[in-house]
Amino acid sequence: MEIKEVIIKEMIIVTDGQSNIGGDPVLAAKEAFEKGIVVNTIGIVEQRKQEEKSLVEIVEIAEAGGGLYEYTYIDDLYQTLQSVTYKTVNKTLQETVNKQLKEIIGQDLEEMTPDSRSKFLQYIDKFSDEVVLQCCILLDASGSMVNKILSARHSILDLIASFKGRKGKVDLAIIIYPGEGGESHQVIHNFGDDEGDLERRLYGIKPRGTTPTAPAIYQGIRLMEDRNENLILEDATI
């Protein structure tokens, strides 16, 4: 069996707090998932302090967005970013394979014998390095991130470096929220942009203000829709 062409579309929200302006991020995540975009969340916690409300919201956003959620200390953020991305790719591929198996043989992975299931899971694990990944990182740049933003920058740059080892293409966008000049968000790297200027833009982030998570999610949806429309047009002209 050969898996049909798959493009994994995911958002990863990296935040240390609860949204407090700009609408309901849970509804925004639900809309993203309805459009085929998985929304994952990573909550940065401190060893001595955990805000229960913000942790609940992290779970609710991921559940509405069909994604995964993780909690991490800031020093472990890079490993968590990698883990969430890997798990998302494999989870989406398993769901795709299940759907195709149902269409072909009337069974999914759970209904197979352990030996047959193991072979398919090994195939999925191998294929996960080859699929196209569209990844939009939403980075909380509110005032509470002042002491964490340096490590967050390093973690994102390390994640991008790790992507270069994949066989499959990685299409990346990064949104910070809030943005400059009172804006609720700011796109600091769009899909298809040259990565040469990305490090400078990441180091130019100045944490400030509130946490408008929902507007950032809606912007991520728009970027992905625009990107995929452009790719369709490019394919049509070839």
Side-chain angles (χ1 to χ4, degrees):
M1 174 184 172
E2 183 174 341
I3 302 175
K4 297 174 185 176
E5 184 179 6
V6 178
I7 298 177
I8 310 291
K9 293 183 282 187
E10 71 159 349
M11 290 187 203
I12 305 177
I13 300 172
V14 180
T15 181
D16 71 340
Q18 185 181 21
S19 175
N20 51 24
I21 193 171
D24 188 346
V26 176
L27 293 178
K30 183 175 183 293
E31 182 173 327
F33 188 53
E34 289 170 350
K35 294 176 181 290
I37 303 166
V38 175
V39 182
N40 302 307
T41 55
I42 298 177
I44 301 172
V45 297
E46 298 178 25
Q47 293 184 358
R48 295 180 302 276
K49 181 182 177 183
Q50 294 187 8
E51 294 291 342
E52 189 173 335
K53 286 185 179 180
S54 64
L55 299 186
V56 168
E57 184 178 79
I58 287 164
V59 176
E60 290 176 343
I61 292 172
E63 288 179 344
L68 308 167
Y69 65 89
E70 297 278 357
Y71 304 123
T72 185
Y73 300 130
I74 187 63
D75 292 341
D76 299 326
L77 179 57
Y78 163 58
Q79 290 92 336
T80 309
L81 281 166
Q82 271 200 321
S83 172
V84 164
T85 297
Y86 174 81
K87 289 176 183 177
T88 297
V89 171
N90 275 47
K91 179 173 178 280
T92 305
L93 285 177
Q94 282 196 39
E95 290 169 351
T96 302
V97 168
N98 271 337
K99 183 178 179 181
Q100 291 182 29
L101 285 172
K102 275 290 189 183
E103 293 172 353
I104 296 169
I105 63 174
Q107 284 185 318
D108 62 22
L109 287 169
E110 293 301 318
E111 296 168 324
M112 288 183 160
T113 64
D115 186 52
S116 297
R117 183 166 62 247
S118 176
K119 290 177 181 178
F120 271 105
L121 290 175
Q122 288 175 18
Y123 176 59
I124 289 169
D125 195 46
K126 179 182 176 183
F127 188 65
S128 67
D129 192 51
E130 301 174 6
V131 297
V132 176
L133 175 62
Q134 282 187 342
C135 179
C136 183
I137 298 174
L138 277 54
L139 177 60
D140 181 352
S142 62
S144 61
M145 286 288 291
V146 167
N147 296 325
K148 303 163 191 160
I149 201 68
L150 181 63
S151 293
R153 292 167 184 148
H154 288 318
S155 297
I156 291 172
L157 289 170
D158 286 344
L159 179 68
I160 294 167
S162 75
F163 283 157
K164 298 185 188 307
R166 294 185 81 251
K167 293 180 182 178
K169 179 183 177 183
V170 178
D171 217 1
L172 181 73
I174 300 175
I175 299 170
I176 61 170
Y177 63 100
E180 295 180 351
E183 296 295 323
S184 62
H185 57 273
Q186 179 181 348
V187 180
I188 65 169
H189 184 80
N190 202 348
F191 295 113
D193 283 355
D194 188 336
E195 290 183 6
D197 199 36
L198 177 55
E199 185 170 351
R200 181 188 65 80
R201 292 185 180 186
L202 280 170
Y203 278 87
I205 298 171
K206 294 180 174 58
R208 62 174 74 80
T210 54
T211 311
T213 309
I217 296 173
Y218 286 123
Q219 180 62 49
I221 295 172
R222 288 191 290 271
L223 293 187
M224 285 194 165
E225 289 183 327
D226 289 346
R227 180 59 167 168
N228 288 300
E229 283 178 11
N230 290 335
L231 290 175
I232 291 170
L233 289 174
E234 288 174 11
D235 289 342
T237 57
I238 293 175

